[in-house]
């Protein structure tokens, strides 16, 4: 059955049961719009193609009608979200589209492009936590997704919005992004599924082979630019201005709507309890902005009572936010990003910096950094306890250990580290680490293969030394 106002009436069926097996989710009574982050009076229709406020040139954010959403109490939303989670009632089994009312209610179901994203493992890092002395430690494995990174969460929303805009009559010939690897993989896959042309701008020789092959395999037009990510970002913005090409980078606030569901989902996985700390690596800084936005929405609609503290972790070779944090965010200066193993966050001029600073200030947040040796060692150390993480997760793990040593994070705190991508995307750097081929990296946790003669006696002799 369905409520008269267009949303399913969970209030009249607290026992749930068969009501959730029925079809038809209507969310058209909810509304959202674009709003300038610098002037809340500047509002624009969500169906328009906008990336910045025409009045202030500031970034936009998607703002929801919280008054309409608040007509339904926290138990209603928990029941509704739980009833959809990982079910096969397309598209609501997706970790993103199961929260459609809170994400992009204007998109019709027939225009949703979903690959069952979200629902990733919230891994209890029991062995690693015991080593560090923080037993309530969890790693949110966002790399266990369709294209191997958390970027799928934002891209399903963005490409679905493009499909909706095209069905509304908008002239969009392609969707484009600058990328350090993961964004291009997500964009090309979702565009291929939707039948929409994708174009990606990659910094030449600065992405892994696995990251390069993903957009190639999905049929994207791949432009390898002799520049870094920041240079590619400048070019793609100009290209999208001059052509009827839709911009897919996190400057586009629709991406944030999908990525914010990480916050909602991990609370859901904790039976709607809130962690004390959430740590995430930061490059272009859309991720920390999205994380905060999700938690704020949970609080404002009564699903949680407090906010966690947030930590944004940067590579020391690309650390403009960390340098600003040292001065209490009194000023921000971009930097020339140096080469880092954490290449997806090798960004010196992040577009979402103002959003990120605002979120960190509201969450009593911290910014920490990791050297190349620290992030490589942290990645390898945690891999030895059963994970297989990207180097960016190593940046977050380094930040975590530093804050534990400073006694900022307490031994009994509940801590979540966001792992943003799967380690299989970075096997080259992992192999080089274990072989000792990385300059200025100690390779403390190196684990090399052992050459053994074709002899049972030799094999047994080697095993006797290692068991």
């Amino acid at each position: 059955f369905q409520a008269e106002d267009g949303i399913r009436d969970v209030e009249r069926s607290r026992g749930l049961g068969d009501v959730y097996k029925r079809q038809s989710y209507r969310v058209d009574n909810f509304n959202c719009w674009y709003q300038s982050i610098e002037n809340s009076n500047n509002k624009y229709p969500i169906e328009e193609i906008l990336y910045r406020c025409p009045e202030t040139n500031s970034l936009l954010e998607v703002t929801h009608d919280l008054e309409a959403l608040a007509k339904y109490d926290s138990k209603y939303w928990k029941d509704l979200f739980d009833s959809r989670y990982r079910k096969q009632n397309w598209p609501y089994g997706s970790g993103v589209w199961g929260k459609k009312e809170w994400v992009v209610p204007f998109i019709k179901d027939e225009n949703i492009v979903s690959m069952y994203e979200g629902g990733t493992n919230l891994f209890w890092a029991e062995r690693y936590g015991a080593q560090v002395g923080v037993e309530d430690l969890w790693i949110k494995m966002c790399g266990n997704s369709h294209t191997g990174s958390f970027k799928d969460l934002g891209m399903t929303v963005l490409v679905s919005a493009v499909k909706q805009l095209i069905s509304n009559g908008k002239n969009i010939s392609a969707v484009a992004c600058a990328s350090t690897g993961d964004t291009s993989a997500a964009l090309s896959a979702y565009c291929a599924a939707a039948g929409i042309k994708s174009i990606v701008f990659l910094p030449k020789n600065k992405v892994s082979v696995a990251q390069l092959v993903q957009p190639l395999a999905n049929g994207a037009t791949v432009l390898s630019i002799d520049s870094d990510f920041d240079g590619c970002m400048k070019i793609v913005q100009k290209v999208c201005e001059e052509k009827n090409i839709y911009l897919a980078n996190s400057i586009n606030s629709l991406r944030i709507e999908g990525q914010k569901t990480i916050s909602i989902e991990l609370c859901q996985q904790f039976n709607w309890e809130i962690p004390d700390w959430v740590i995430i690596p930061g490059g272009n800084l859309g991720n920390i902005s999205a994380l905060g936005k999700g938690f704020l929405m949970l609080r404002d609609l009564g699903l949680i009572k407090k906010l966690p503290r947030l930590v944004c972790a940067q590579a020391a070779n690309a650390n403009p936010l960390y340098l600003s944090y040292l001065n209490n965010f009194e000023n921000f200066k971009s930097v020339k990003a140096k080469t880092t193993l954490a290449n997806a966050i090798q960004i010196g001029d992040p577009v979402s910096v103002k959003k990120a600073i605002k979120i960190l200030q509201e969450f009593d947040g911290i910014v920490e950094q990791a050297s190349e040796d620290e992030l490589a060692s942290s990645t390898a150390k945690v891999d030895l306890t059963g994970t297989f993480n990207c180097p960016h997760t190593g940046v977050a793990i380094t930040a975590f250990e530093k804050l534990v040593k400073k006694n900022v994070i307490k031994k009994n705190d509940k801590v979540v580290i966001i792992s943003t991508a799967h380690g299989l995307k970075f096997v080259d750097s992992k192999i080089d680490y274990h072989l000792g081929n990385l300059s200025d990296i100690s390779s403390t946790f190196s684990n090399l293969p052992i050459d053994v003669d074709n002899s049972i006696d030799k094999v047994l002799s080697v095993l006797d030394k290692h068991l």
Side-chain angles (χ1 to χ4, degrees):
F1 57 87
Q2 204 166 312
E4 290 180 359
D5 62 2
I7 187 168
R8 310 175 97 224
D9 191 4
V10 181
E11 296 294 335
R12 288 188 280 161
S13 183
R14 290 299 191 185
L16 307 182
D18 289 342
V19 64
Y20 288 114
K21 297 178 183 177
R22 303 184 186 184
Q23 304 298 312
S24 182
Y25 291 88
R26 290 182 55 197
V27 292
D28 52 337
N29 57 312
F30 297 117
N31 189 26
C32 60
W33 55 88
Y34 290 123
Q35 185 170 296
S36 166
I37 64 170
E38 293 184 0
N39 187 339
S40 60
N41 292 321
N42 295 348
K43 302 177 182 180
Y44 309 95
I46 197 70
E47 294 84 2
E48 295 301 313
I49 299 177
L50 286 174
Y51 314 117
R52 291 184 179 273
C53 173
E55 299 294 327
T56 65
N57 201 40
S58 66
L59 292 184
L60 299 168
E61 62 182 355
V62 176
T63 302
H64 291 261
D65 184 353
L66 292 183
E67 185 176 338
L69 293 169
K71 290 179 181 178
Y72 303 89
D73 65 17
S74 61
K75 189 176 189 312
Y76 175 89
W77 291 118
K78 291 176 184 178
D79 287 347
L80 185 62
F81 294 163
D82 286 345
S83 75
R84 297 169 172 173
Y85 190 65
R86 305 307 286 168
K87 300 296 192 300
Q88 296 301 327
N89 187 9
W90 189 93
Y92 297 95
S94 156
V96 173
W97 297 106
K99 287 88 175 171
K100 183 180 179 183
E101 296 86 348
W102 290 26
V103 180
V104 275
F106 76 96
I107 297 177
K108 295 180 180 179
D109 284 3
E110 58 264 30
N111 290 320
I112 289 175
V113 184
S114 175
M115 297 183 180
Y116 211 52
E117 52 287 316
T120 52
N121 180 20
L122 185 56
F123 172 73
W124 180 30
E126 180 181 12
R127 186 178 170 207
Y128 172 58
Q131 293 174 0
V132 181
V134 179
E135 294 186 0
D136 206 357
L137 176 64
W138 304 77
I139 301 178
K140 179 64 171 160
M141 307 295 286
C142 292
N144 296 354
S145 189
H146 181 70
T147 71
S149 87
F150 80 104
K151 299 296 179 70
D152 290 351
L153 302 174
M155 208 57 72
T156 182
V157 172
L158 184 137
V159 174
S160 298
V162 170
K163 192 174 179 183
Q164 181 67 55
L165 291 172
I166 291 173
S167 73
N168 291 349
K170 296 290 185 180
N171 182 19
I172 299 173
S173 62
V175 186
C177 74
S179 178
T180 51
D182 291 335
T183 299
S184 62
L187 175 65
S188 61
Y190 281 85
C191 280
I196 298 171
K197 184 66 179 176
S198 63
I199 306 169
V200 301
F201 295 74
L202 297 177
K204 188 175 182 178
N205 299 325
K206 292 184 176 67
V207 301
S208 72
V209 173
Q211 290 172 306
L212 172 62
V213 77
Q214 286 182 288
L216 293 175
N218 288 136
T221 298
V222 179
L223 303 179
S224 182
I225 307 296
D226 189 12
S227 180
D228 57 11
F229 170 81
D230 296 316
C232 291
M233 188 67 207
K234 291 176 182 177
I235 290 176
V236 74
Q237 289 183 79
K238 291 181 180 178
V239 167
C240 289
E241 286 176 4
E242 295 187 12
K243 302 288 185 179
N244 56 330
I245 297 173
Y246 195 81
L247 181 61
N249 284 96
S250 57
I251 190 174
N252 189 320
S253 54
L254 286 171
R255 282 262 307 276
I256 303 302
E257 293 308 291
Q259 291 168 205
K260 78 182 182 189
T261 60
I262 296 177
S263 306
I264 305 169
E265 182 171 284
L266 68 86
C267 287
Q268 188 176 18
Q269 290 172 313
F270 282 135
N271 292 319
W272 301 103
E273 293 182 2
I274 195 75
D276 298 298
W277 296 88
V278 182
I279 305 170
I280 192 168
N284 220 16
L285 303 180
N287 48 11
I288 188 72
S289 309
L291 203 65
K293 188 174 185 185
F295 284 121
L296 289 173
M297 209 163 178
L298 285 165
R299 183 200 64 183
D300 293 344
L301 290 170
L303 279 72
I304 61 175
K305 301 301 181 185
K306 67 170 186 174
L307 296 174
R309 292 191 69 183
L310 300 183
V311 179
C312 184
Q314 292 206 296
N317 282 358
N319 63 349
L321 186 67
Y322 173 75
L323 297 175
S324 181
Y325 171 75
L326 295 180
N327 294 311
N328 296 315
F329 300 124
E330 290 182 6
N331 55 67
F332 175 85
K333 294 182 179 179
S334 61
V335 301
K336 177 65 175 178
K338 302 175 185 177
T339 300
T340 172
L341 293 171
N343 61 5
I345 56 175
Q346 187 178 318
I347 299 170
D349 189 16
V351 297
S352 296
V353 62
K354 290 185 178 180
K355 286 184 178 181
I357 290 174
K358 181 181 178 182
I359 285 294
L360 286 164
Q361 289 173 332
E362 188 158 4
F363 282 75
D364 191 19
I366 294 173
V367 185
E368 192 47 89
Q369 68 172 355
S371 70
E372 293 303 290
D373 188 50
E374 287 172 333
L375 72 89
S377 295
S378 293
T379 306
K381 181 180 179 180
V382 173
D383 281 352
L384 287 173
T385 65
T387 66
F388 196 62
N389 285 300
C390 63
H392 319 89
T393 305
V395 176
I397 291 166
T398 298
F400 161 69
E401 290 198 358
K402 286 183 175 181
L403 293 173
V404 171
K405 289 178 181 178
K406 294 176 183 177
N407 202 33
V408 176
I409 293 179
K410 309 299 182 184
K411 300 293 185 180
N412 60 345
D413 284 347
K414 181 187 288 291
V415 182
V416 176
I417 297 171
I418 306 296
S419 178
T420 55
H422 201 288
L424 285 172
K425 289 191 171 193
F426 304 93
V427 290
D428 291 343
S429 63
K430 284 179 176 288
I431 291 171
D432 285 339
Y433 174 87
H434 288 284
L435 293 177
N437 292 337
L438 299 174
S439 60
D440 301 322
I441 302 296
S442 59
S443 293
T444 305
F445 302 99
S446 173
N447 185 25
L448 295 172
I450 303 168
D451 291 331
V452 187
D453 291 338
N454 184 17
S455 164
I456 185 64
D457 291 336
K458 294 289 186 180
V459 169
L460 290 173
S461 176
V462 169
L463 291 180
D464 285 341
K465 296 177 181 179
H466 286 82
L467 291 178

